[in-house]
Amino acid sequence: MKGDGESEASLTGHAVDLTPTELSSETLKNAIRGTVDRHISVACPSPSRWWESLAHPTDDTAPLDRLVAASRSRGVRVPEERALAAAERELAALSTERVDPAETRRQLAAAGKNVAELREEVATARGRLQARRRTDTDTEAAQAALADAAERLSEAETERLAAEQAQEAAERQARRARSVRERRLRLQDRVANRRRDARRALITELADAFDAAVSAVPGAGALSTDPLGVEGDAVTVALAAARLADLRAPVIDDTGRFDSAGAAAETVGAPVIRC
């Protein structure tokens, strides 16, 4: 570990006490993560993927999350994880199409209104033509008007038919989309249930080791599997979980539970930076 500036110093060892420096736990965590900071750097093995959930006993990580992370860090595998992975794959493969038939309904309504108006126009034009024929008046203009109206009516009826077909297709898509959404909700429930099953199994596998770890750290705590939960002091549980885990990178100790960084490192069985 190295600090820069006027008070530049380099500290090494399995247990480092930085309480005189007033460095925050977050600064130390960033340094362990490898975030560039001109004030401090920490040379250590790269944190395991479970380190974030276990390395800082006083953060707000839930106790059960810590125990799941500890179990996974130890390479524990349970059959329930296969069922969870299968459910997650099925959910990920399910695509949901958002369909709104409202626009096609508006188009159909507009097309129907246009047809109704043009039918009235055709009827009016036909009446004018018949009236001219009865009075032997020139019918050329009336015939042209009727033909034009009839042609526009034919086009409008074709458009209305297309709008009807589009509406039917949109309704079918909407029904399929509703079915997919309902299936997605069922799959989401299944994934949630499988995740709970996997968490319970992972934690249960750790139960005896957890009891032993709690006995080795300051404080008291106990694991309940029915219902699943942790009783006792949260920091004690966090220290026990860290003792159980394979973290590689240091634990940040600001618990006040130990007389020295060395005592903390010996207890949790991992490198410790005390702050």
Side-chain angles (χ1 to χ4, degrees):
M1 174 177 297
K2 183 190 296 183
D4 294 330
E6 294 182 358
S7 60
E8 181 175 341
S10 179
L11 303 174
T12 60
H14 196 67
V16 175
D17 192 339
L18 294 181
T19 50
T21 67
E22 298 184 355
L23 287 169
S24 70
S25 58
E26 193 59 36
T27 297
L28 291 171
K29 287 169 73 175
N30 284 335
I32 293 169
R33 294 182 187 111
T35 302
V36 177
D37 188 316
R38 68 183 182 86
H39 297 294
I40 184 170
S41 62
V42 176
C44 65
S46 297
S48 73
R49 61 182 297 192
W50 313 115
W51 179 84
E52 292 284 351
S53 299
L54 292 158
H56 189 198
T58 60
D59 68 15
D60 58 0
T61 303
L64 289 179
D65 289 342
R66 293 185 190 276
L67 291 180
V68 169
S71 187
R72 291 187 185 280
S73 78
R74 290 160 62 97
V76 175
R77 295 292 180 267
V78 293
E80 288 81 356
E81 288 181 300
R82 290 195 293 272
L84 170 60
E88 288 176 333
R89 286 194 300 270
E90 189 174 355
L91 179 59
L94 189 63
S95 60
T96 302
E97 179 185 5
R98 291 191 63 83
V99 179
D100 183 6
E103 180 58 29
T104 54
R105 280 197 295 269
R106 286 192 292 270
Q107 292 173 351
L108 178 58
K113 181 180 179 181
N114 192 31
V115 166
E117 291 173 349
L118 285 171
R119 282 179 176 169
E120 290 182 6
E121 186 176 339
V122 166
T124 299
R126 184 176 290 113
R128 287 173 181 166
L129 176 60
Q130 291 171 349
R132 287 182 174 275
R133 283 173 175 169
R134 283 195 298 270
T135 59
D136 289 330
T137 307
D138 180 56
T139 60
E140 183 176 351
Q143 286 177 331
L146 176 58
D148 178 67
E151 182 178 357
R152 286 186 285 116
L153 173 60
S154 177
E155 292 173 354
E157 287 176 335
T158 300
E159 291 176 0
R160 185 187 63 178
L161 178 59
E164 288 175 348
Q165 293 171 343
Q167 175 64 18
E168 291 172 358
E171 288 176 347
R172 287 194 298 271
Q173 288 179 317
R175 287 193 293 272
R176 286 196 298 269
R178 283 194 296 272
S179 177
V180 169
R181 286 196 296 271
E182 290 169 359
R183 186 182 175 199
R184 174 174 288 278
L185 290 174
R186 292 194 296 271
L187 281 173
Q188 288 172 337
D189 286 343
R190 185 187 304 173
V191 166
N193 290 335
R194 296 294 180 269
R195 184 171 290 118
R196 282 192 292 270
D197 292 344
R199 284 170 60 84
R200 174 181 290 277
L202 285 165
I203 292 171
T204 300
E205 285 288 324
L206 212 62
D208 292 340
F210 175 72
D211 289 341
V214 167
S215 300
V217 302
L223 174 65
S224 167
T225 56
D226 189 20
L228 186 63
V230 178
E231 300 172 356
D233 177 67
V235 173
T236 298
V237 173
L239 290 170
R243 179 182 172 89
L244 290 170
D246 178 13
L247 296 179
R248 299 200 295 265
V251 171
I252 307 299
D253 175 40
D254 57 0
T255 63
R257 300 289 179 93
F258 303 99
D259 293 332
S260 66
E266 183 178 355
T267 300
V268 298
V272 164
I273 300 175
R274 192 179 187 210
C275 65

